[in-house]
Amino acid sequence: MTGPFEREVGDAWETLHPRVRDRYGLESAEDREAVGVGRMQTLDRSPLAAPTLRLGTLDDFLFPERGTDVPFTIITEPFVDDDGNEALVLRRRFKTSPPRTFVDTLRWNPDRGCLTDLFGRHGYVAADVHIDAEDGALALSIGAQWLRVGGRYLEFPSPLSVDGRLRDWYDDDDGRFRVSAAIINPLLGTVFEYEGTFENEFRPREADTDTAPPSALGGVDLPGENA
């Protein structure tokens, strides 16, 4: 099967830097996970967004802490979801004070023809994710967003939605990956942003390849075509 990032990028996948393809082309049959270790040179957010970000800590989804030169790790683990599609769970750990965790699960959504990102340990917030290849880098943007209440998805109204952008690339001169991300709301401004570098290695998965990681949301229903 094809990994979710490659499936979303399509024919442009081969234009990505080989290191980027290797890291983000993970598939469950490979029986390995990617481990990134590095530092965020900047980690920032709008003061107006702090109360909302603090709520996110209850489900390991965003946080209000700021800082410079913040150590972090990111573990990317592939699995097969309940619909039989390749999926990824990402677990980030930031050594802020106190330390914070940011978890999300990326799954292919056949009804919407794109990836859907389920944020946090329970996936109460979901968003369409669109990924392109730009000059060898992965460029991610966030589309429609929802709040899951019970078994229903309620789309965020425009004033509450965000414009999210992430760019991830390999710096040949530095020999490391670089990442930058920003989440912007029309009312609050920059809700959350970071910029950093990291090194990547692969390690064997500890669990069986057919078993989803404990933090993955492989069985949660996704927003439908008319959600």
PDB file of all heavy atoms in Angstrom, residues 78-98:
ATOM      1  N   PRO A  78       3.743   4.507  11.409  1.00  0.00           N
ATOM      2  CA  PRO A  78       2.688   4.108  10.466  1.00  0.00           C
ATOM      3  C   PRO A  78       1.831   2.971  11.025  1.00  0.00           C
ATOM      4  O   PRO A  78       2.279   2.171  11.857  1.00  0.00           O
ATOM      5  CB  PRO A  78       3.488   3.641   9.253  1.00  0.00           C
ATOM      6  CG  PRO A  78       4.743   3.072   9.846  1.00  0.00           C
ATOM      7  CD  PRO A  78       5.037   3.894  11.074  1.00  0.00           C
ATOM      8  N   PHE A  79       0.596   2.914  10.551  1.00  0.00           N
ATOM      9  CA  PHE A  79      -0.287   1.792  10.891  1.00  0.00           C
ATOM     10  C   PHE A  79      -1.380   1.736   9.834  1.00  0.00           C
ATOM     11  O   PHE A  79      -1.487   2.618   8.981  1.00  0.00           O
ATOM     12  CB  PHE A  79      -0.890   1.953  12.291  1.00  0.00           C
ATOM     13  CG  PHE A  79      -1.876   3.086  12.432  1.00  0.00           C
ATOM     14  CD1 PHE A  79      -3.246   2.859  12.396  1.00  0.00           C
ATOM     15  CD2 PHE A  79      -1.438   4.395  12.610  1.00  0.00           C
ATOM     16  CE1 PHE A  79      -4.159   3.895  12.513  1.00  0.00           C
ATOM     17  CE2 PHE A  79      -2.335   5.439  12.741  1.00  0.00           C
ATOM     18  CZ  PHE A  79      -3.702   5.197  12.693  1.00  0.00           C
ATOM     19  N   VAL A  80      -2.189   0.696   9.872  1.00  0.00           N
ATOM     20  CA  VAL A  80      -3.322   0.552   8.958  1.00  0.00           C
ATOM     21  C   VAL A  80      -4.596   0.811   9.745  1.00  0.00           C
ATOM     22  O   VAL A  80      -4.840   0.177  10.777  1.00  0.00           O
ATOM     23  CB  VAL A  80      -3.351  -0.853   8.323  1.00  0.00           C
ATOM     24  CG1 VAL A  80      -4.574  -1.009   7.420  1.00  0.00           C
ATOM     25  CG2 VAL A  80      -2.078  -1.105   7.525  1.00  0.00           C
ATOM     26  N   ASP A  81      -5.418   1.765   9.282  1.00  0.00           N
ATOM     27  CA  ASP A  81      -6.630   2.101  10.023  1.00  0.00           C
ATOM     28  C   ASP A  81      -7.729   1.071   9.775  1.00  0.00           C
ATOM     29  O   ASP A  81      -7.552   0.104   9.020  1.00  0.00           O
ATOM     30  CB  ASP A  81      -7.098   3.531   9.713  1.00  0.00           C
ATOM     31  CG  ASP A  81      -7.607   3.703   8.280  1.00  0.00           C
ATOM     32  OD1 ASP A  81      -7.846   2.701   7.585  1.00  0.00           O
ATOM     33  OD2 ASP A  81      -7.754   4.869   7.858  1.00  0.00           O
ATOM     34  N   ASP A  82      -8.879   1.274  10.407  1.00  0.00           N
ATOM     35  CA  ASP A  82      -9.962   0.299  10.312  1.00  0.00           C
ATOM     36  C   ASP A  82     -10.569   0.206   8.919  1.00  0.00           C
ATOM     37  O   ASP A  82     -11.293  -0.740   8.617  1.00  0.00           O
ATOM     38  CB  ASP A  82     -11.056   0.643  11.324  1.00  0.00           C
ATOM     39  CG  ASP A  82     -10.656   0.304  12.748  1.00  0.00           C
ATOM     40  OD1 ASP A  82      -9.500  -0.106  12.958  1.00  0.00           O
ATOM     41  OD2 ASP A  82     -11.495   0.452  13.667  1.00  0.00           O
ATOM     42  N   ASP A  83     -10.290   1.206   8.070  1.00  0.00           N
ATOM     43  CA  ASP A  83     -10.779   1.166   6.693  1.00  0.00           C
ATOM     44  C   ASP A  83      -9.784   0.504   5.749  1.00  0.00           C
ATOM     45  O   ASP A  83     -10.015   0.440   4.536  1.00  0.00           O
ATOM     46  CB  ASP A  83     -11.076   2.585   6.205  1.00  0.00           C
ATOM     47  CG  ASP A  83     -12.207   3.240   6.978  1.00  0.00           C
ATOM     48  OD1 ASP A  83     -13.145   2.524   7.364  1.00  0.00           O
ATOM     49  OD2 ASP A  83     -12.141   4.465   7.207  1.00  0.00           O
ATOM     50  N   GLY A  84      -8.648   0.043   6.296  1.00  0.00           N
ATOM     51  CA  GLY A  84      -7.654  -0.638   5.483  1.00  0.00           C
ATOM     52  C   GLY A  84      -6.684   0.275   4.771  1.00  0.00           C
ATOM     53  O   GLY A  84      -5.963  -0.174   3.874  1.00  0.00           O
ATOM     54  N   ASN A  85      -6.645   1.558   5.160  1.00  0.00           N
ATOM     55  CA  ASN A  85      -5.741   2.516   4.537  1.00  0.00           C
ATOM     56  C   ASN A  85      -4.524   2.788   5.417  1.00  0.00           C
ATOM     57  O   ASN A  85      -4.615   2.765   6.656  1.00  0.00           O
ATOM     58  CB  ASN A  85      -6.467   3.843   4.287  1.00  0.00           C
ATOM     59  CG  ASN A  85      -7.572   3.718   3.266  1.00  0.00           C
ATOM     60  OD1 ASN A  85      -7.360   3.181   2.177  1.00  0.00           O
ATOM     61  ND2 ASN A  85      -8.764   4.194   3.603  1.00  0.00           N
ATOM     62  N   GLU A  86      -3.396   3.058   4.768  1.00  0.00           N
ATOM     63  CA  GLU A  86      -2.198   3.453   5.501  1.00  0.00           C
ATOM     64  C   GLU A  86      -2.454   4.778   6.223  1.00  0.00           C
ATOM     65  O   GLU A  86      -3.082   5.698   5.681  1.00  0.00           O
ATOM     66  CB  GLU A  86      -1.013   3.611   4.561  1.00  0.00           C
ATOM     67  CG  GLU A  86      -0.456   2.306   4.022  1.00  0.00           C
ATOM     68  CD  GLU A  86       0.419   1.578   5.036  1.00  0.00           C
ATOM     69  OE1 GLU A  86       0.888   2.227   5.996  1.00  0.00           O
ATOM     70  OE2 GLU A  86       0.647   0.364   4.851  1.00  0.00           O
ATOM     71  N   ALA A  87      -1.967   4.881   7.450  1.00  0.00           N
ATOM     72  CA  ALA A  87      -2.170   6.076   8.265  1.00  0.00           C
ATOM     73  C   ALA A  87      -0.904   6.317   9.091  1.00  0.00           C
ATOM     74  O   ALA A  87      -0.012   5.464   9.168  1.00  0.00           O
ATOM     75  CB  ALA A  87      -3.386   5.900   9.175  1.00  0.00           C
ATOM     76  N   LEU A  88      -0.838   7.487   9.706  1.00  0.00           N
ATOM     77  CA  LEU A  88       0.315   7.858  10.529  1.00  0.00           C
ATOM     78  C   LEU A  88      -0.164   8.501  11.822  1.00  0.00           C
ATOM     79  O   LEU A  88      -1.112   9.291  11.823  1.00  0.00           O
ATOM     80  CB  LEU A  88       1.214   8.865   9.796  1.00  0.00           C
ATOM     81  CG  LEU A  88       1.926   8.410   8.521  1.00  0.00           C
ATOM     82  CD1 LEU A  88       2.558   9.616   7.832  1.00  0.00           C
ATOM     83  CD2 LEU A  88       2.996   7.375   8.845  1.00  0.00           C
ATOM     84  N   VAL A  89       0.504   8.172  12.919  1.00  0.00           N
ATOM     85  CA  VAL A  89       0.305   8.907  14.159  1.00  0.00           C
ATOM     86  C   VAL A  89       1.619   9.603  14.491  1.00  0.00           C
ATOM     87  O   VAL A  89       2.703   9.012  14.379  1.00  0.00           O
ATOM     88  CB  VAL A  89      -0.156   7.989  15.320  1.00  0.00           C
ATOM     89  CG1 VAL A  89       0.839   6.875  15.608  1.00  0.00           C
ATOM     90  CG2 VAL A  89      -0.407   8.808  16.570  1.00  0.00           C
ATOM     91  N   LEU A  90       1.531  10.885  14.840  1.00  0.00           N
ATOM     92  CA  LEU A  90       2.705  11.695  15.163  1.00  0.00           C
ATOM     93  C   LEU A  90       2.613  12.142  16.617  1.00  0.00           C
ATOM     94  O   LEU A  90       1.582  12.679  17.037  1.00  0.00           O
ATOM     95  CB  LEU A  90       2.801  12.926  14.254  1.00  0.00           C
ATOM     96  CG  LEU A  90       3.026  12.647  12.759  1.00  0.00           C
ATOM     97  CD1 LEU A  90       1.689  12.443  12.036  1.00  0.00           C
ATOM     98  CD2 LEU A  90       3.778  13.797  12.107  1.00  0.00           C
ATOM     99  N   ARG A  91       3.701  11.926  17.347  1.00  0.00           N
ATOM    100  CA  ARG A  91       3.740  12.300  18.764  1.00  0.00           C
ATOM    101  C   ARG A  91       4.933  13.229  18.983  1.00  0.00           C
ATOM    102  O   ARG A  91       6.078  12.807  18.866  1.00  0.00           O
ATOM    103  CB  ARG A  91       3.849  11.063  19.653  1.00  0.00           C
ATOM    104  CG  ARG A  91       2.702  10.088  19.477  1.00  0.00           C
ATOM    105  CD  ARG A  91       2.764   8.939  20.483  1.00  0.00           C
ATOM    106  NE  ARG A  91       3.954   8.131  20.335  1.00  0.00           N
ATOM    107  CZ  ARG A  91       4.084   7.131  19.488  1.00  0.00           C
ATOM    108  NH1 ARG A  91       3.093   6.819  18.675  1.00  0.00           N
ATOM    109  NH2 ARG A  91       5.190   6.424  19.432  1.00  0.00           N
ATOM    110  N   ARG A  92       4.636  14.481  19.290  1.00  0.00           N
ATOM    111  CA  ARG A  92       5.683  15.470  19.526  1.00  0.00           C
ATOM    112  C   ARG A  92       5.795  15.733  21.025  1.00  0.00           C
ATOM    113  O   ARG A  92       4.776  15.823  21.719  1.00  0.00           O
ATOM    114  CB  ARG A  92       5.345  16.784  18.810  1.00  0.00           C
ATOM    115  CG  ARG A  92       5.097  16.642  17.323  1.00  0.00           C
ATOM    116  CD  ARG A  92       4.402  17.884  16.788  1.00  0.00           C
ATOM    117  NE  ARG A  92       3.974  17.716  15.401  1.00  0.00           N
ATOM    118  CZ  ARG A  92       2.859  17.105  15.031  1.00  0.00           C
ATOM    119  NH1 ARG A  92       2.050  16.582  15.961  1.00  0.00           N
ATOM    120  NH2 ARG A  92       2.522  17.002  13.768  1.00  0.00           N
ATOM    121  N   ARG A  93       7.024  15.908  21.485  1.00  0.00           N
ATOM    122  CA  ARG A  93       7.267  16.206  22.894  1.00  0.00           C
ATOM    123  C   ARG A  93       8.184  17.422  22.967  1.00  0.00           C
ATOM    124  O   ARG A  93       9.301  17.401  22.429  1.00  0.00           O
ATOM    125  CB  ARG A  93       7.919  15.013  23.591  1.00  0.00           C
ATOM    126  CG  ARG A  93       8.118  15.193  25.100  1.00  0.00           C
ATOM    127  CD  ARG A  93       6.813  15.202  25.840  1.00  0.00           C
ATOM    128  NE  ARG A  93       7.020  15.101  27.291  1.00  0.00           N
ATOM    129  CZ  ARG A  93       6.054  15.277  28.197  1.00  0.00           C
ATOM    130  NH1 ARG A  93       4.825  15.547  27.791  1.00  0.00           N
ATOM    131  NH2 ARG A  93       6.313  15.169  29.476  1.00  0.00           N
ATOM    132  N   PHE A  94       7.704  18.489  23.581  1.00  0.00           N
ATOM    133  CA  PHE A  94       8.456  19.728  23.707  1.00  0.00           C
ATOM    134  C   PHE A  94       8.915  19.905  25.148  1.00  0.00           C
ATOM    135  O   PHE A  94       8.102  19.802  26.078  1.00  0.00           O
ATOM    136  CB  PHE A  94       7.584  20.923  23.305  1.00  0.00           C
ATOM    137  CG  PHE A  94       7.123  20.900  21.878  1.00  0.00           C
ATOM    138  CD1 PHE A  94       5.963  20.227  21.518  1.00  0.00           C
ATOM    139  CD2 PHE A  94       7.843  21.547  20.891  1.00  0.00           C
ATOM    140  CE1 PHE A  94       5.526  20.210  20.201  1.00  0.00           C
ATOM    141  CE2 PHE A  94       7.423  21.533  19.566  1.00  0.00           C
ATOM    142  CZ  PHE A  94       6.262  20.862  19.224  1.00  0.00           C
ATOM    143  N   LYS A  95      10.196  20.191  25.343  1.00  0.00           N
ATOM    144  CA  LYS A  95      10.723  20.386  26.698  1.00  0.00           C
ATOM    145  C   LYS A  95      10.546  21.833  27.124  1.00  0.00           C
ATOM    146  O   LYS A  95      11.500  22.559  27.399  1.00  0.00           O
ATOM    147  CB  LYS A  95      12.191  19.959  26.751  1.00  0.00           C
ATOM    148  CG  LYS A  95      12.373  18.455  26.614  1.00  0.00           C
ATOM    149  CD  LYS A  95      13.811  18.030  26.854  1.00  0.00           C
ATOM    150  CE  LYS A  95      13.971  16.518  26.761  1.00  0.00           C
ATOM    151  NZ  LYS A  95      15.376  16.086  26.965  1.00  0.00           N
ATOM    152  N   THR A  96       9.284  22.241  27.164  1.00  0.00           N
ATOM    153  CA  THR A  96       8.922  23.523  27.732  1.00  0.00           C
ATOM    154  C   THR A  96       8.804  23.347  29.240  1.00  0.00           C
ATOM    155  O   THR A  96       9.116  22.285  29.783  1.00  0.00           O
ATOM    156  CB  THR A  96       7.587  23.995  27.139  1.00  0.00           C
ATOM    157  OG1 THR A  96       6.632  22.918  27.224  1.00  0.00           O
ATOM    158  CG2 THR A  96       7.748  24.390  25.678  1.00  0.00           C
ATOM    159  N   SER A  97       8.343  24.369  29.921  1.00  0.00           N
ATOM    160  CA  SER A  97       8.142  24.260  31.375  1.00  0.00           C
ATOM    161  C   SER A  97       6.694  24.638  31.696  1.00  0.00           C
ATOM    162  O   SER A  97       6.341  25.823  31.696  1.00  0.00           O
ATOM    163  CB  SER A  97       9.106  25.194  32.115  1.00  0.00           C
ATOM    164  OG  SER A  97       8.945  25.070  33.512  1.00  0.00           O
ATOM    165  N   PRO A  98       5.832  23.623  31.949  1.00  0.00           N
ATOM    166  CA  PRO A  98       6.107  22.184  31.993  1.00  0.00           C
ATOM    167  C   PRO A  98       6.215  21.587  30.592  1.00  0.00           C
ATOM    168  O   PRO A  98       5.793  22.217  29.622  1.00  0.00           O
ATOM    169  CB  PRO A  98       4.879  21.630  32.720  1.00  0.00           C
ATOM    170  CG  PRO A  98       3.775  22.558  32.315  1.00  0.00           C
ATOM    171  CD  PRO A  98       4.408  23.917  32.248  1.00  0.00           C
TER     172      PRO A  98
END
